[in-house]
Amino acid sequence: MFDEIEFEKIKRLPKYVFAAINEIKSEMRGHNEDVIDFSMGNPDGHTPEHIIQKLCEASNKPKNQGYSASKGIYKLRLGICNWYKKKYNVDLEPNTEVCVSMGSKEGYVHLVQAITNPGDNAIVPEPAYPIHYYAFILNGANVARFGIKWNENMELCEDSFFANLSRVLKEAMPKPKFVVVNFPHNPTTVIVYKSFYERLVKMAKQERFYIISDIAYADLCFDGYKTPSILEVQGAKDVAVETYTLSKSYNMAGWRIGFVVGNKKMIEALQKIKSWIDYGIYTPMQIAATIALEGSQECVDSIRSKYEQRMEVLIKCFKEAGWEMAKPKASMFIWAKIPPCVEHLGSLEFSKRLLKEAKIALSPGVGFGENGEGYVRIALIENENRIRQAARNLKAFLKTFK
C-alpha cells in the first residue's frame, strides 16, 4: 500500500466558502431550475465589435501565431503607457515599468510569488477579494488583517484606516513588507480619493513597505466620481505598483488581459518570473487589447452606464420588496447588509436559503473574511427584467420571516 505524500502548500488553503453556493446552484440547474445569478462578477455583455474585428484580422497573419512575449508585446506596453498618460497624466516607461499579465489576478499572484520570502508579513485590509491574502499564504508568507470602515456614502473612513494600519505595522512580527489596497473595493464597493494615496505613499516611505494597489473597477464609477491612481502621487513609483484588468471595463473577462505597472524593482521581478513560467498571451489578443486601450472609449462609457442603470433598478426594486441597501459610487457590485428579519441566519445560511427558496444566487460576505459577515455581495450581471423577477421572488421569501 502506498503511503501518500502530503501537499502542505495546498493544505494552507481553506475550503472555498463560495463552493457551497456553487454546489447548490449546479444541482438546481441540473434539475432545470431557473437561477437568477448575482453571485459572480462575470460580465454578461459582448466584447465591443471593433476589438473583436481587430482580433480576427490579427489572427489571420501567420507572423502573429507563434510564441509571444511573456511581459507583453511592445505595442501593448506602449498602449498601456499612453492610456495612463491620457487617463491619469502619469508617465510610464514601457520596458521597465510595465508588465502585461493574464488578467490582473495572474499578474498579482506571480508578482507576490516573485517578491515574497517565506515568513514575510503582508497587510491586507478586510473584507478582501480572497486571492489578495491567499497569494501570500500560498507562498509561505503571513497576512495581518484589519477591518475597514466606511460612511453612508460608501467612502472609506481614512482616519480609521490609517490608525489601524499604524497599529498593525507596530504589532506584527516580523514587520510587514507589503500593504495591499483595492479601490474601488471588492467586495464592499468603497471608494477613496487622491488624499488617501498621498497619506499611504508618505507612510510607506516612512515605515519602509511596498504597496500593491488593485484598480480593477476603476472605470465603473457613478455620480461624477472618478477613480484616482496611486501613481498620480509624486514619488509613488518609489514604493508602489498598480494592477488593472480589461475584463470589466471592456467586457473582456475571458480574454484574460491585464497589467501591472509602477515600481521598477517589482516590475523587473514580475517580468523575470513570467519569463520562466509562460510565453505570453496570444499575440492577436494583445494587438486587439491595444486597440481597446487606444481606440474610442465610448464602449467603456456604455458599459459603465449599463451597470449604473442595473444598480438603480435593483436598489429600487429590492427596497420595494423589503430589502434596503446603500448605493455604491463605483464597481459592478452592491454590498448589502442582510435584512434585519434574517440577520440571525448569517451571510452563508441566508445565501443558501435565498438560493434554494427564492432561486437567487448571491455571494455570502463571510467568504471575503470574518469582517464580511452580515453582508452579501450582489453582482450586477443580470438584465433589468431578471432583476425585477428576483425582486418578486425576494418579496415572497422575506414574507416568510415576518
Side-chain angles (χ1 to χ4, degrees):
M1 185 174 177
F2 181 70
D3 187 12
E4 291 186 346
I5 299 168
E6 294 292 337
F7 304 140
E8 296 299 331
K9 180 178 287 190
I10 292 301
K11 286 170 70 175
R12 294 193 76 185
L13 288 175
K15 184 176 179 181
Y16 201 48
V17 173
F18 304 120
I21 300 299
N22 292 335
E23 286 169 10
I24 298 170
K25 197 165 57 177
S26 296
E27 184 179 344
M28 291 175 69
R29 284 177 171 160
H31 290 92
N32 295 317
E33 294 191 60
D34 181 25
V35 175
I36 303 172
D37 193 356
F38 301 110
S39 63
M40 184 179 178
N42 188 12
D44 63 318
H46 295 289
T47 303
E49 188 61 33
H50 69 286
I51 301 172
I52 294 174
Q53 286 178 357
K54 193 62 180 182
L55 170 66
C56 295
E57 176 191 317
S59 295
N60 279 321
K61 296 179 179 180
K63 68 176 183 178
N64 294 330
Q65 294 167 8
Y67 289 125
S68 192
S70 61
K71 66 180 179 181
I73 61 172
Y74 180 77
K75 188 174 183 179
L76 177 52
R77 284 183 279 121
L78 184 60
I80 291 164
C81 294
N82 293 337
W83 185 83
Y84 256 90
K85 182 65 175 177
K86 187 174 181 180
K87 190 175 181 68
Y88 296 116
N89 196 30
V90 168
D91 292 307
L92 292 169
E93 205 290 312
N95 292 315
T96 60
E97 295 179 337
V98 179
C99 186
V100 176
S101 59
M102 298 174 186
S104 58
K105 188 174 185 179
E106 176 271 328
Y108 175 83
V109 172
H110 279 145
L111 173 67
V112 170
Q113 185 178 5
I115 64 179
T116 302
N117 301 317
D120 279 353
N121 242 335
I123 298 176
V124 181
E126 207 183 67
Y129 185 48
I131 198 62
H132 281 161
Y133 38 84
Y134 282 112
F136 287 100
I137 290 169
L138 280 170
N139 285 289
N142 301 303
V143 176
R145 313 177 196 186
F146 62 83
I148 66 168
K149 295 180 180 179
W150 54 89
N151 62 25
E152 64 276 8
N153 295 317
M154 302 306 291
E155 299 165 331
L156 181 71
C157 296
E158 285 190 23
D159 289 344
S160 170
F161 180 96
F162 284 104
N164 280 314
L165 179 56
S166 295
R167 174 182 55 79
V168 174
L169 283 167
K170 288 182 176 68
E171 294 176 355
M173 293 295 292
K175 187 173 181 178
K177 292 181 180 179
F178 310 102
V179 173
V180 179
V181 292
N182 164 217
F183 300 104
H185 193 249
N186 180 13
T188 70
T189 80
V190 166
I191 62 165
V192 296
Y193 298 94
K194 186 180 176 182
S195 61
F196 167 79
Y197 292 124
E198 290 170 341
R199 292 177 70 175
L200 187 61
V201 167
K202 182 179 179 181
M203 181 178 282
K205 292 184 176 185
Q206 290 173 341
E207 298 291 341
R208 198 167 175 266
F209 61 79
Y210 283 114
I211 304 162
I212 305 174
S213 170
D214 176 1
I215 58 166
Y217 302 94
D219 294 312
L220 305 181
C221 301
F222 318 126
D223 293 335
Y225 173 72
K226 291 184 179 180
T227 299
S229 163
I230 192 170
L231 300 181
E232 292 179 273
V233 177
Q234 187 175 1
K237 284 193 286 185
D238 295 337
V239 293
V241 291
E242 195 156 67
T243 68
Y244 178 83
T245 175
L246 278 69
S247 295
K248 284 35 178 195
S249 305
Y250 299 90
N251 279 345
M252 294 172 66
W255 295 56
R256 308 312 305 132
I257 297 179
F259 51 80
V260 186
V261 299
N263 178 265
K264 288 182 179 181
K265 186 174 182 178
M266 287 195 280
I267 296 299
E268 180 186 19
L270 176 58
Q271 289 178 347
K272 187 171 184 177
I273 201 167
K274 282 178 66 63
S275 72
W276 282 88
I277 291 172
D278 70 67
Y279 285 106
I281 303 161
Y282 183 46
T283 298
M285 294 174 71
Q286 295 194 55
I287 294 170
T290 307
I291 293 300
L293 293 173
E294 295 202 316
S296 169
Q297 300 300 294
E298 288 181 8
C299 59
V300 178
D301 292 335
S302 176
I303 290 165
R304 182 203 59 75
S305 295
K306 179 187 71 175
Y307 285 122
E308 184 173 25
Q309 180 63 25
R310 288 180 178 181
M311 178 262 293
E312 297 280 5
V313 171
L314 192 145
I315 286 178
K316 180 176 182 292
C317 291
F318 277 36
K319 181 179 180 180
E320 292 170 354
W323 189 1
E324 197 164 352
M325 52 193 67
K327 180 180 176 181
K329 276 187 161 52
S331 89
M332 60 182 293
F333 305 113
I334 295 173
W335 182 244
K337 193 168 181 60
I338 296 172
C341 62
V342 292
E343 275 183 327
H344 62 283
L345 295 177
S347 64
L348 181 57
E349 186 60 27
F350 167 67
S351 298
K352 286 181 180 179
R353 290 193 58 175
L354 190 67
L355 179 53
K356 292 176 182 177
E357 298 172 34
K359 301 181 182 180
I360 300 170
L362 309 172
S363 293
V366 71
F368 301 98
E370 292 180 6
N371 287 288
E373 184 54 270
Y375 291 83
V376 293
R377 191 193 71 177
I378 304 169
L380 299 167
I381 56 170
E382 293 275 16
N383 65 43
E384 292 172 33
N385 288 334
R386 300 276 287 170
I387 290 171
R388 292 186 177 94
Q389 179 59 56
R392 291 191 287 271
N393 295 3
L394 172 67
K395 187 173 184 178
F397 172 78
L398 292 179
K399 276 183 179 179
T400 65
F401 291 91
K402 295 177 179 178

